[in-house]
PDB file of all heavy atoms in Angstrom:
ATOM      1  N   ARG A   1     -21.967  -4.425  16.742  1.00 79.00           N
ATOM      2  CA  ARG A   1     -22.326  -4.307  15.223  1.00 79.00           C
ATOM      3  C   ARG A   1     -22.374  -2.909  14.795  1.00 79.00           C
ATOM      4  O   ARG A   1     -23.009  -2.023  15.114  1.00 79.00           O
ATOM      5  CB  ARG A   1     -23.923  -4.827  15.176  1.00 79.00           C
ATOM      6  CG  ARG A   1     -23.911  -6.383  15.110  1.00 79.00           C
ATOM      7  CD  ARG A   1     -25.236  -6.853  15.447  1.00 79.00           C
ATOM      8  NE  ARG A   1     -26.251  -6.515  14.423  1.00 79.00           N
ATOM      9  CZ  ARG A   1     -26.506  -7.231  13.349  1.00 79.00           C
ATOM     10  NH1 ARG A   1     -25.812  -8.352  13.107  1.00 79.00           N
ATOM     11  NH2 ARG A   1     -27.409  -6.890  12.514  1.00 79.00           N
ATOM     12  N   PHE A  20     -31.270 -15.379  -7.968  1.00 93.00           N
ATOM     13  CA  PHE A  20     -30.490 -14.331  -8.653  1.00 93.00           C
ATOM     14  C   PHE A  20     -29.799 -15.017  -9.867  1.00 93.00           C
ATOM     15  O   PHE A  20     -29.470 -16.112  -9.748  1.00 93.00           O
ATOM     16  CB  PHE A  20     -29.403 -13.760  -7.736  1.00 93.00           C
ATOM     17  CG  PHE A  20     -30.025 -12.825  -6.600  1.00 93.00           C
ATOM     18  CD1 PHE A  20     -29.942 -13.272  -5.193  1.00 93.00           C
ATOM     19  CD2 PHE A  20     -30.598 -11.682  -6.878  1.00 93.00           C
ATOM     20  CE1 PHE A  20     -30.439 -12.555  -4.237  1.00 93.00           C
ATOM     21  CE2 PHE A  20     -31.169 -10.852  -5.802  1.00 93.00           C
ATOM     22  CZ  PHE A  20     -30.949 -11.383  -4.578  1.00 93.00           C
ATOM     23  N   ASP A  23     -25.247 -12.714 -13.270  1.00 95.00           N
ATOM     24  CA  ASP A  23     -24.796 -11.304 -13.397  1.00 95.00           C
ATOM     25  C   ASP A  23     -25.079 -10.633 -12.008  1.00 95.00           C
ATOM     26  O   ASP A  23     -24.373  -9.930 -11.583  1.00 95.00           O
ATOM     27  CB  ASP A  23     -25.587 -10.661 -14.559  1.00 95.00           C
ATOM     28  CG  ASP A  23     -25.185  -9.208 -14.587  1.00 95.00           C
ATOM     29  OD1 ASP A  23     -23.960  -8.789 -14.591  1.00 95.00           O
ATOM     30  OD2 ASP A  23     -26.106  -8.402 -14.560  1.00 95.00           O
ATOM     31  N   ARG A  25     -25.546 -11.933  -9.191  1.00 93.00           N
ATOM     32  CA  ARG A  25     -24.653 -12.594  -8.163  1.00 93.00           C
ATOM     33  C   ARG A  25     -23.255 -11.831  -8.149  1.00 93.00           C
ATOM     34  O   ARG A  25     -22.785 -11.483  -7.114  1.00 93.00           O
ATOM     35  CB  ARG A  25     -24.536 -14.095  -8.384  1.00 93.00           C
ATOM     36  CG  ARG A  25     -25.137 -14.856  -7.339  1.00 93.00           C
ATOM     37  CD  ARG A  25     -25.185 -16.357  -7.700  1.00 93.00           C
ATOM     38  NE  ARG A  25     -26.661 -16.696  -7.233  1.00 93.00           N
ATOM     39  CZ  ARG A  25     -26.967 -16.607  -6.048  1.00 93.00           C
ATOM     40  NH1 ARG A  25     -26.085 -16.379  -5.074  1.00 93.00           N
ATOM     41  NH2 ARG A  25     -28.256 -17.058  -5.658  1.00 93.00           N
ATOM     42  N   HIS A  40     -11.891  -2.244   6.110  1.00 87.00           N
ATOM     43  CA  HIS A  40     -10.464  -2.194   6.247  1.00 87.00           C
ATOM     44  C   HIS A  40     -10.030  -0.747   6.477  1.00 87.00           C
ATOM     45  O   HIS A  40      -9.378  -0.503   7.396  1.00 87.00           O
ATOM     46  CB  HIS A  40      -9.833  -2.910   5.031  1.00 87.00           C
ATOM     47  CG  HIS A  40      -8.367  -3.071   5.208  1.00 87.00           C
ATOM     48  ND1 HIS A  40      -7.885  -3.823   6.218  1.00 87.00           N
ATOM     49  CD2 HIS A  40      -7.363  -2.603   4.473  1.00 87.00           C
ATOM     50  CE1 HIS A  40      -6.583  -3.815   6.066  1.00 87.00           C
ATOM     51  NE2 HIS A  40      -6.165  -3.146   5.066  1.00 87.00           N
ATOM     52  N   GLU A  43     -11.165   0.537   9.841  1.00 88.00           N
ATOM     53  CA  GLU A  43     -10.358  -0.094  10.846  1.00 88.00           C
ATOM     54  C   GLU A  43      -8.977   0.728  11.009  1.00 88.00           C
ATOM     55  O   GLU A  43      -8.532   0.985  12.138  1.00 88.00           O
ATOM     56  CB  GLU A  43      -9.925  -1.482  10.675  1.00 88.00           C
ATOM     57  CG  GLU A  43     -10.450  -2.492  11.416  1.00 88.00           C
ATOM     58  CD  GLU A  43     -10.315  -3.955  10.871  1.00 88.00           C
ATOM     59  OE1 GLU A  43      -9.178  -4.314  10.526  1.00 88.00           O
ATOM     60  OE2 GLU A  43     -11.462  -4.598  10.596  1.00 88.00           O
ATOM     61  N   ARG A  50      -6.678   6.361  17.460  1.00 86.00           N
ATOM     62  CA  ARG A  50      -6.246   5.752  18.821  1.00 86.00           C
ATOM     63  C   ARG A  50      -4.819   6.026  19.026  1.00 86.00           C
ATOM     64  O   ARG A  50      -4.459   6.457  20.135  1.00 86.00           O
ATOM     65  CB  ARG A  50      -6.402   4.237  18.832  1.00 86.00           C
ATOM     66  CG  ARG A  50      -7.901   3.829  18.792  1.00 86.00           C
ATOM     67  CD  ARG A  50      -8.006   2.336  19.369  1.00 86.00           C
ATOM     68  NE  ARG A  50      -9.530   2.002  19.155  1.00 86.00           N
ATOM     69  CZ  ARG A  50     -10.025   1.183  18.248  1.00 86.00           C
ATOM     70  NH1 ARG A  50      -9.108   0.588  17.471  1.00 86.00           N
ATOM     71  NH2 ARG A  50     -11.238   0.854  18.174  1.00 86.00           N
ATOM     72  N   GLU A  55      -2.931   6.125  22.736  1.00 73.00           N
ATOM     73  CA  GLU A  55      -3.455   4.839  23.333  1.00 73.00           C
ATOM     74  C   GLU A  55      -2.231   3.902  23.109  1.00 73.00           C
ATOM     75  O   GLU A  55      -2.516   2.621  23.410  1.00 73.00           O
ATOM     76  CB  GLU A  55      -4.658   4.428  22.776  1.00 73.00           C
ATOM     77  CG  GLU A  55      -5.823   4.793  23.606  1.00 73.00           C
ATOM     78  CD  GLU A  55      -7.135   4.264  23.044  1.00 73.00           C
ATOM     79  OE1 GLU A  55      -7.327   3.020  22.872  1.00 73.00           O
ATOM     80  OE2 GLU A  55      -8.012   5.138  22.710  1.00 73.00           O
ATOM     81  N   TRP A  60       2.621  -1.849  26.979  1.00 85.00           N
ATOM     82  CA  TRP A  60       4.196  -1.632  26.910  1.00 85.00           C
ATOM     83  C   TRP A  60       4.969  -2.829  27.447  1.00 85.00           C
ATOM     84  O   TRP A  60       4.690  -3.080  28.599  1.00 85.00           O
ATOM     85  CB  TRP A  60       4.344  -0.396  27.744  1.00 85.00           C
ATOM     86  CG  TRP A  60       5.349   0.505  27.079  1.00 85.00           C
ATOM     87  CD1 TRP A  60       6.680   0.886  27.688  1.00 85.00           C
ATOM     88  CD2 TRP A  60       5.329   1.278  25.915  1.00 85.00           C
ATOM     89  NE1 TRP A  60       7.229   1.779  26.936  1.00 85.00           N
ATOM     90  CE2 TRP A  60       6.517   2.093  25.771  1.00 85.00           C
ATOM     91  CE3 TRP A  60       4.338   1.346  24.859  1.00 85.00           C
ATOM     92  CZ2 TRP A  60       6.808   2.869  24.754  1.00 85.00           C
ATOM     93  CZ3 TRP A  60       4.664   2.160  23.844  1.00 85.00           C
ATOM     94  CH2 TRP A  60       5.827   2.853  23.863  1.00 85.00           C
ATOM     95  N   LYS A  83       4.869 -14.563  -5.812  1.00 95.00           N
ATOM     96  CA  LYS A  83       5.227 -13.459  -6.713  1.00 95.00           C
ATOM     97  C   LYS A  83       6.682 -13.719  -7.250  1.00 95.00           C
ATOM     98  O   LYS A  83       7.169 -12.796  -8.030  1.00 95.00           O
ATOM     99  CB  LYS A  83       5.137 -12.046  -6.028  1.00 95.00           C
ATOM    100  CG  LYS A  83       4.148 -11.206  -6.619  1.00 95.00           C
ATOM    101  CD  LYS A  83       4.151  -9.837  -6.014  1.00 95.00           C
ATOM    102  CE  LYS A  83       4.168  -8.723  -7.153  1.00 95.00           C
ATOM    103  NZ  LYS A  83       4.268  -7.315  -6.640  1.00 95.00           N
ATOM    104  N   THR A  88      14.665 -11.955   1.877  1.00 97.00           N
ATOM    105  CA  THR A  88      15.727 -12.356   2.840  1.00 97.00           C
ATOM    106  C   THR A  88      15.519 -11.680   4.171  1.00 97.00           C
ATOM    107  O   THR A  88      15.319 -10.395   4.140  1.00 97.00           O
ATOM    108  CB  THR A  88      17.121 -11.988   2.247  1.00 97.00           C
ATOM    109  OG1 THR A  88      17.092 -12.310   0.879  1.00 97.00           O
ATOM    110  CG2 THR A  88      18.261 -12.764   2.837  1.00 97.00           C
ATOM    111  N   SER A  93      19.689 -11.293  16.873  1.00 84.00           N
ATOM    112  CA  SER A  93      18.847 -11.668  18.004  1.00 84.00           C
ATOM    113  C   SER A  93      19.129 -10.821  19.218  1.00 84.00           C
ATOM    114  O   SER A  93      20.306 -10.152  19.235  1.00 84.00           O
ATOM    115  CB  SER A  93      19.044 -13.195  18.298  1.00 84.00           C
ATOM    116  OG  SER A  93      20.385 -13.460  18.566  1.00 84.00           O
ATOM    117  N   ARG A  94      18.309 -10.855  20.181  1.00 88.00           N
ATOM    118  CA  ARG A  94      18.446 -10.048  21.261  1.00 88.00           C
ATOM    119  C   ARG A  94      18.622  -8.682  21.149  1.00 88.00           C
ATOM    120  O   ARG A  94      19.380  -7.911  21.685  1.00 88.00           O
ATOM    121  CB  ARG A  94      19.596 -10.614  22.180  1.00 88.00           C
ATOM    122  CG  ARG A  94      19.251 -12.027  22.862  1.00 88.00           C
ATOM    123  CD  ARG A  94      20.249 -12.347  23.835  1.00 88.00           C
ATOM    124  NE  ARG A  94      21.642 -12.661  23.370  1.00 88.00           N
ATOM    125  CZ  ARG A  94      22.152 -13.712  22.802  1.00 88.00           C
ATOM    126  NH1 ARG A  94      21.237 -14.739  22.657  1.00 88.00           N
ATOM    127  NH2 ARG A  94      23.286 -13.856  22.196  1.00 88.00           N
ATOM    128  N   ASN A 114       3.955  -3.136   1.535  1.00 95.00           N
ATOM    129  CA  ASN A 114       4.391  -2.268   0.514  1.00 95.00           C
ATOM    130  C   ASN A 114       5.480  -2.851  -0.354  1.00 95.00           C
ATOM    131  O   ASN A 114       5.296  -2.774  -1.648  1.00 95.00           O
ATOM    132  CB  ASN A 114       4.788  -0.943   1.093  1.00 95.00           C
ATOM    133  CG  ASN A 114       3.662  -0.092   1.586  1.00 95.00           C
ATOM    134  OD1 ASN A 114       2.456  -0.250   1.267  1.00 95.00           O
ATOM    135  ND2 ASN A 114       3.976   0.948   2.352  1.00 95.00           N
ATOM    136  N   ALA A 115       6.448  -3.348   0.292  1.00 97.00           N
ATOM    137  CA  ALA A 115       7.560  -3.857  -0.452  1.00 97.00           C
ATOM    138  C   ALA A 115       7.027  -4.951  -1.476  1.00 97.00           C
ATOM    139  O   ALA A 115       7.503  -4.913  -2.716  1.00 97.00           O
ATOM    140  CB  ALA A 115       8.645  -4.455   0.307  1.00 97.00           C
ATOM    141  N   GLY A 123      11.653  -9.912  -8.065  1.00 97.00           N
ATOM    142  CA  GLY A 123      12.373  -8.954  -7.389  1.00 97.00           C
ATOM    143  C   GLY A 123      12.951  -9.484  -5.975  1.00 97.00           C
ATOM    144  O   GLY A 123      12.799 -10.630  -5.766  1.00 97.00           O
ATOM    145  N   SER A 130      19.217  -4.630  13.267  1.00 96.00           N
ATOM    146  CA  SER A 130      20.536  -4.688  13.871  1.00 96.00           C
ATOM    147  C   SER A 130      20.581  -3.644  15.084  1.00 96.00           C
ATOM    148  O   SER A 130      19.778  -2.762  15.251  1.00 96.00           O
ATOM    149  CB  SER A 130      21.539  -4.181  12.811  1.00 96.00           C
ATOM    150  OG  SER A 130      21.084  -2.889  12.223  1.00 96.00           O
ATOM    151  N   ASP A 142      13.821  -2.890  -0.966  1.00 98.00           N
ATOM    152  CA  ASP A 142      13.412  -3.724  -2.181  1.00 98.00           C
ATOM    153  C   ASP A 142      13.913  -3.162  -3.315  1.00 98.00           C
ATOM    154  O   ASP A 142      14.502  -1.974  -3.363  1.00 98.00           O
ATOM    155  CB  ASP A 142      11.755  -3.601  -2.110  1.00 98.00           C
ATOM    156  CG  ASP A 142      11.225  -2.227  -2.579  1.00 98.00           C
ATOM    157  OD1 ASP A 142      11.521  -1.606  -3.451  1.00 98.00           O
ATOM    158  OD2 ASP A 142      10.478  -1.740  -1.595  1.00 98.00           O
ATOM    159  N   SER A 150       9.827  13.924  -5.898  1.00 94.00           N
ATOM    160  CA  SER A 150       8.753  14.873  -5.536  1.00 94.00           C
ATOM    161  C   SER A 150       7.649  14.304  -4.664  1.00 94.00           C
ATOM    162  O   SER A 150       7.047  15.025  -3.846  1.00 94.00           O
ATOM    163  CB  SER A 150       8.123  15.438  -6.827  1.00 94.00           C
ATOM    164  OG  SER A 150       7.545  14.276  -7.593  1.00 94.00           O
ATOM    165  N   ARG A 161      -1.083   8.638  -2.055  1.00 91.00           N
ATOM    166  CA  ARG A 161      -0.631   7.525  -2.781  1.00 91.00           C
ATOM    167  C   ARG A 161       0.100   8.039  -4.015  1.00 91.00           C
ATOM    168  O   ARG A 161      -0.330   9.109  -4.737  1.00 91.00           O
ATOM    169  CB  ARG A 161      -1.715   6.670  -3.329  1.00 91.00           C
ATOM    170  CG  ARG A 161      -2.628   6.131  -2.341  1.00 91.00           C
ATOM    171  CD  ARG A 161      -3.536   5.042  -2.768  1.00 91.00           C
ATOM    172  NE  ARG A 161      -2.760   3.712  -2.856  1.00 91.00           N
ATOM    173  CZ  ARG A 161      -3.129   2.823  -3.488  1.00 91.00           C
ATOM    174  NH1 ARG A 161      -4.392   2.788  -4.185  1.00 91.00           N
ATOM    175  NH2 ARG A 161      -2.591   1.645  -3.618  1.00 91.00           N
ATOM    176  N   VAL A 162       1.356   7.613  -4.416  1.00 89.00           N
ATOM    177  CA  VAL A 162       2.120   8.197  -5.416  1.00 89.00           C
ATOM    178  C   VAL A 162       1.281   8.279  -6.760  1.00 89.00           C
ATOM    179  O   VAL A 162       1.241   9.217  -7.465  1.00 89.00           O
ATOM    180  CB  VAL A 162       3.390   7.517  -5.714  1.00 89.00           C
ATOM    181  CG1 VAL A 162       4.181   8.025  -6.867  1.00 89.00           C
ATOM    182  CG2 VAL A 162       4.232   7.709  -4.482  1.00 89.00           C
ATOM    183  N   PRO A 164      -2.266   6.576  -7.813  1.00 71.00           N
ATOM    184  CA  PRO A 164      -3.390   5.704  -7.541  1.00 71.00           C
ATOM    185  C   PRO A 164      -3.711   4.682  -8.569  1.00 71.00           C
ATOM    186  O   PRO A 164      -4.288   3.619  -8.342  1.00 71.00           O
ATOM    187  CB  PRO A 164      -4.536   6.727  -7.249  1.00 71.00           C
ATOM    188  CG  PRO A 164      -3.853   7.987  -7.074  1.00 71.00           C
ATOM    189  CD  PRO A 164      -2.591   7.945  -7.829  1.00 71.00           C
ATOM    190  N   ILE A 179       0.190   5.090   9.402  1.00 95.00           N
ATOM    191  CA  ILE A 179       0.200   4.257  10.601  1.00 95.00           C
ATOM    192  C   ILE A 179       1.514   3.922  11.091  1.00 95.00           C
ATOM    193  O   ILE A 179       1.780   4.035  12.233  1.00 95.00           O
ATOM    194  CB  ILE A 179      -0.737   2.970  10.304  1.00 95.00           C
ATOM    195  CG1 ILE A 179      -2.091   3.423  10.134  1.00 95.00           C
ATOM    196  CG2 ILE A 179      -0.584   2.023  11.532  1.00 95.00           C
ATOM    197  CD1 ILE A 179      -3.073   2.206   9.691  1.00 95.00           C
ATOM    198  N   SER A 182       3.045   6.955  12.657  1.00 94.00           N
ATOM    199  CA  SER A 182       2.442   7.146  14.028  1.00 94.00           C
ATOM    200  C   SER A 182       2.927   6.200  15.033  1.00 94.00           C
ATOM    201  O   SER A 182       3.284   6.622  16.321  1.00 94.00           O
ATOM    202  CB  SER A 182       0.983   7.092  14.022  1.00 94.00           C
ATOM    203  OG  SER A 182       0.311   8.157  13.323  1.00 94.00           O
ATOM    204  N   SER A 185       6.570   7.109  16.091  1.00 93.00           N
ATOM    205  CA  SER A 185       6.618   8.247  16.947  1.00 93.00           C
ATOM    206  C   SER A 185       6.299   7.885  18.377  1.00 93.00           C
ATOM    207  O   SER A 185       6.926   8.373  19.285  1.00 93.00           O
ATOM    208  CB  SER A 185       5.716   9.395  16.459  1.00 93.00           C
ATOM    209  OG  SER A 185       6.018   9.697  15.192  1.00 93.00           O
ATOM    210  N   ALA A 186       5.139   7.179  18.508  1.00 90.00           N
ATOM    211  CA  ALA A 186       4.661   6.697  19.757  1.00 90.00           C
ATOM    212  C   ALA A 186       5.780   6.008  20.593  1.00 90.00           C
ATOM    213  O   ALA A 186       5.643   5.765  21.791  1.00 90.00           O
ATOM    214  CB  ALA A 186       3.383   5.966  19.668  1.00 90.00           C
ATOM    215  N   HIS A 187       6.707   5.260  19.860  1.00 90.00           N
ATOM    216  CA  HIS A 187       7.881   4.545  20.458  1.00 90.00           C
ATOM    217  C   HIS A 187       9.054   5.432  20.606  1.00 90.00           C
ATOM    218  O   HIS A 187      10.158   4.887  20.911  1.00 90.00           O
ATOM    219  CB  HIS A 187       8.088   3.222  19.606  1.00 90.00           C
ATOM    220  CG  HIS A 187       7.063   2.295  19.826  1.00 90.00           C
ATOM    221  ND1 HIS A 187       5.875   2.304  19.124  1.00 90.00           N
ATOM    222  CD2 HIS A 187       7.000   1.164  20.666  1.00 90.00           C
ATOM    223  CE1 HIS A 187       5.165   1.166  19.500  1.00 90.00           C
ATOM    224  NE2 HIS A 187       5.779   0.515  20.509  1.00 90.00           N
ATOM    225  N   PHE A 203      13.427   1.674   3.400  1.00 98.00           N
ATOM    226  CA  PHE A 203      12.748   2.350   4.701  1.00 98.00           C
ATOM    227  C   PHE A 203      13.601   1.967   5.869  1.00 98.00           C
ATOM    228  O   PHE A 203      13.985   0.750   6.110  1.00 98.00           O
ATOM    229  CB  PHE A 203      11.219   1.869   4.860  1.00 98.00           C
ATOM    230  CG  PHE A 203      10.397   2.474   3.795  1.00 98.00           C
ATOM    231  CD1 PHE A 203      10.180   1.871   2.512  1.00 98.00           C
ATOM    232  CD2 PHE A 203       9.744   3.562   4.046  1.00 98.00           C
ATOM    233  CE1 PHE A 203       9.428   2.491   1.515  1.00 98.00           C
ATOM    234  CE2 PHE A 203       8.898   4.252   3.148  1.00 98.00           C
ATOM    235  CZ  PHE A 203       8.791   3.607   1.880  1.00 98.00           C
ATOM    236  N   VAL A 205      13.782   2.319  10.083  1.00 98.00           N
ATOM    237  CA  VAL A 205      13.057   2.661  11.244  1.00 98.00           C
ATOM    238  C   VAL A 205      14.210   2.693  12.373  1.00 98.00           C
ATOM    239  O   VAL A 205      14.895   1.574  12.513  1.00 98.00           O
ATOM    240  CB  VAL A 205      11.969   1.664  11.606  1.00 98.00           C
ATOM    241  CG1 VAL A 205      11.546   1.958  13.131  1.00 98.00           C
ATOM    242  CG2 VAL A 205      10.907   1.716  10.688  1.00 98.00           C
TER     243      VAL A 205
END
Side-chain angles (χ1 to χ4, degrees):
R1 275 162 70 84
F20 291 113
D23 176 54
R25 251 169 221 294
H40 187 61
E43 243 167 61
R50 290 196 185 108
E55 264 180 64
W60 220 244
K83 249 186 121 175
T88 317
S93 58
R94 291 191 295 276
N114 283 346
S130 53
D142 64 62
S150 60
R161 309 192 76 196
V162 173
I179 291 175
S182 289
S185 308
H187 286 80
F203 287 84
V205 172

